[in-house]
Amino acid sequence: MEKFIKHTGTGVPLRRSNVDTDQIIPAVYLKRVTRSGFEDGLFAAWRNDPEFVLNQEAFKKGTVLVAGADFGTGSSREHAVWAVAQQGFKVVIAPLEGDIPGFADIFRNNCAKNGVLTIQLSADEVDQIFEMSAADEPLEATVDLEQQRVVFKQPGEDVEFAFVTDPSVKEKLLMGLDDIAESLL
């Protein structure tokens, strides 16, 4: 697994909450016998809409996905994380809204095992990111795992948010260790 220390990329605003794993990667794509090619099925039902964010030229190469609360609920299919990662996303950000978590636990765990960083911010912070992403230019984000901060570049002033990551997940990502590599230490 590749080390995750710092990443800069385009933020992609997915203004949807309660996105389950079947919406992330429909079951019809689970018949493959390899772990590759799942990006083709990422958000397949929504890709028919020309207005869908990943169909817009500015976001096609985005690597920081910003979603609504309760992202990755539903079945435990690891294929959902594979699809997210194979599309090029290194980071997924979602808000904590009251008692609704940003991510389903199993999705968050599968992300950590596959080198994708999940960041949970407050609902107000994610709303601020969505507002910033409404500008004419794509939103550039720099995620620093060591410092546990994400900075969104804005004309004239950058906007920074602090986040908390489980220390064991942070260590594994910084070192680029998946479960097998960790067991060999």
Side-chain angles (χ1 to χ4, degrees):
M1 189 166 77
E2 190 176 306
K3 290 181 181 182
F4 188 113
I5 297 168
K6 188 183 271 190
H7 172 74
T8 299
T10 301
V12 177
L14 180 67
R15 299 171 189 258
R16 297 176 191 232
S17 295
N18 304 313
V19 176
D20 65 35
T21 54
D22 195 50
Q23 292 166 312
I24 296 170
I25 184 85
V28 69
Y29 290 91
L30 308 184
K31 298 175 185 174
R32 294 193 172 126
V33 294
T34 64
R35 287 181 57 170
S36 61
F38 290 99
E39 68 276 14
D40 295 346
L42 182 66
F43 306 125
W46 301 333
R47 292 285 182 113
N48 294 325
D49 177 1
E51 298 300 313
F52 180 64
V53 67
L54 288 179
N55 291 334
Q56 298 173 27
E57 196 60 41
F59 300 111
K60 285 184 178 180
K61 296 189 188 232
T63 58
V64 179
L65 183 64
V66 183
D70 215 16
F71 189 84
T73 60
S75 72
S76 62
R77 65 179 72 151
E78 194 171 11
H79 302 76
V81 175
W82 297 344
V84 167
Q86 290 168 17
Q87 178 66 35
F89 290 108
K90 306 288 186 198
V91 180
V92 182
I93 299 172
L96 172 67
E97 291 183 358
D99 61 348
I100 301 172
F103 303 95
D105 286 340
I106 194 141
F107 181 83
R108 180 192 295 260
N109 291 335
N110 284 337
C111 280
K113 291 177 181 190
N114 286 278
V116 177
L117 176 63
T118 55
I119 298 174
Q120 188 168 265
L121 299 175
S122 73
D124 288 340
E125 290 170 325
V126 171
D127 285 343
Q128 186 178 356
I129 295 167
F130 284 148
E131 287 174 25
M132 290 186 294
S133 70
D136 292 336
E137 296 295 317
L139 191 59
E140 182 180 294
T142 297
V143 180
D144 185 329
L145 180 55
E146 288 181 309
Q147 299 298 315
Q148 295 188 141
R149 65 187 184 115
V150 57
V151 178
F152 288 90
K153 192 169 186 72
Q154 289 286 278
E157 179 182 352
D158 294 344
V159 179
E160 181 177 321
F161 302 102
F163 61 89
V164 177
T165 301
D166 177 280
S168 65
V169 170
K170 179 180 177 182
E171 181 179 353
K172 287 167 88 170
L173 289 173
L174 287 171
M175 295 177 69
L177 299 174
D178 60 17
D179 288 347
I180 294 171
E182 184 180 36
S183 71
L184 296 174
L185 291 179

